[in-house]
Amino acid sequence: MVMLIAGNWKMNGLAADAAEQVRALADGIGRAGGAELLICPPATLIPIMARALEEAGIRDRVALGGQDCHIAEKGAHTGDISAWMLKDIGCSHVIVGHSERRIDHGEDDDLIRAKAEAALEAGLVAIVCIGETEAQRQAEETELVLSHQLRGSMPSGATRENAVIAYEPVWAIGTGHTPTAEDVAHVHRHIRTVAEDFFPDDLRILYGGSVKPDNAGALLAVDGVDGALVGGASLKAEDFLAIAAAAKV
């Protein structure tokens, strides 16, 4: 199975940064091995990166995705971007349901599912994020929370080709803390068991949350982990490629 290594740049990067990172990716692309690479930069940088990747001759090696999308194809939604717009500017994927959207913008499972379904309708692969908070973890509610988010957030009609699950424990995002390999294996088994109840395909499950070059090998070697959703470490091509190099193919 080819692993997916996805980078979420969040609200970081200007045009010069995008050009610099594409040059660095092109110089070191051989280090990525056979891993599938995806970068989700801010929407302002997607056309710039698409053009730079094409000029660098690595557009076929690095896919582009959005960080969020609206449920509608178009309309009076100031400041939003639709899945169809992302598709139009060269995206193949979109992240929905990231904890920062759930928490900062109050997005619930119903809205996230609607966004994921819009992504599928537009021909994008929906990367649906789920994860428990520190309080929920301490209350031993991890499995309950993840089951609820899965059932509520995943789009109908999800298949291995059009949907990916990303498990990101909220308490590990950007904190430098990561669960143990045993914890990750246990949670991914639970997610897969729940997903198998209502989806015929064996969906890919990524791990996210403080993935770095020094822990990527251990995390990506865990049974049931099909890749990584990388945050801060994806902002530097060297670190992103090092994580990709750690992926088993």
Side-chain angles (χ1 to χ4, degrees):
M1 177 191 300
V2 177
M3 285 200 163
L4 172 61
I5 308 300
N8 177 13
W9 280 21
K10 306 188 181 182
M11 196 174 72
N12 293 290
L14 301 176
D17 303 309
E20 179 183 349
Q21 291 310 305
V22 169
R23 285 193 294 269
L25 283 170
D27 289 342
I29 197 69
R31 298 174 56 198
E36 183 180 345
L37 303 181
L38 167 68
I39 294 177
C40 300
T44 55
L45 297 182
I46 293 170
I48 294 171
M49 290 196 72
R51 184 166 54 253
L53 289 166
E54 188 71 37
E55 292 173 352
I58 58 170
R59 187 66 180 89
D60 60 335
R61 288 288 286 116
V62 183
L64 291 173
Q67 296 177 13
D68 184 50
C69 68
H70 196 275
I71 64 174
E73 180 177 355
K74 59 184 178 180
H77 306 289
T78 302
D80 284 309
I81 185 168
S82 75
W84 288 262
M85 290 173 174
L86 292 172
K87 181 75 171 179
D88 185 55
I89 56 175
C91 288
S92 56
H93 296 67
V94 63
I95 299 168
V96 295
H98 193 280
S99 63
E100 290 158 5
R101 299 293 308 183
R102 291 178 184 264
I103 295 169
D104 295 350
H105 298 269
E107 296 188 1
D108 61 15
D109 292 336
D110 289 342
L111 177 58
I112 292 161
R113 183 179 65 254
K115 289 185 174 188
E117 289 175 347
L120 270 53
E121 289 174 13
L124 298 177
V125 176
I127 300 177
V128 182
C129 298
I130 60 173
E132 80 282 10
T133 65
E134 177 66 19
Q136 291 164 336
R137 177 184 181 227
Q138 293 296 333
E140 299 184 352
E141 296 175 346
T142 295
E143 292 186 4
L144 179 64
V145 169
L146 297 181
S147 296
H148 187 275
Q149 290 180 344
L150 268 174
R151 293 190 173 97
S153 302
M154 290 298 293
S156 58
T159 68
R160 190 176 182 80
E161 285 69 42
N162 64 20
V164 176
I165 299 167
Y167 168 56
E168 287 199 309
V170 180
W171 53 271
I173 299 172
T175 65
H177 302 299
T178 56
T180 66
E182 291 76 14
D183 288 339
V184 173
H186 174 80
V187 170
H188 277 237
R189 280 195 301 271
H190 173 73
I191 292 170
R192 200 170 301 279
T193 298
V194 174
E196 286 172 352
D197 287 343
F198 52 101
F199 293 114
D201 284 2
D202 183 18
L203 301 182
R204 285 203 284 191
I205 306 173
L206 312 183
Y207 171 77
S210 293
V211 180
K212 304 172 184 175
D214 60 1
N215 64 19
L219 290 168
L220 293 172
V222 173
D223 186 45
V225 173
D226 301 318
L229 181 55
V230 185
S234 69
L235 292 169
K236 293 184 178 180
E238 180 179 353
D239 290 346
F240 186 61
L241 290 170
I243 292 169
K248 62 180 186 288
V249 179

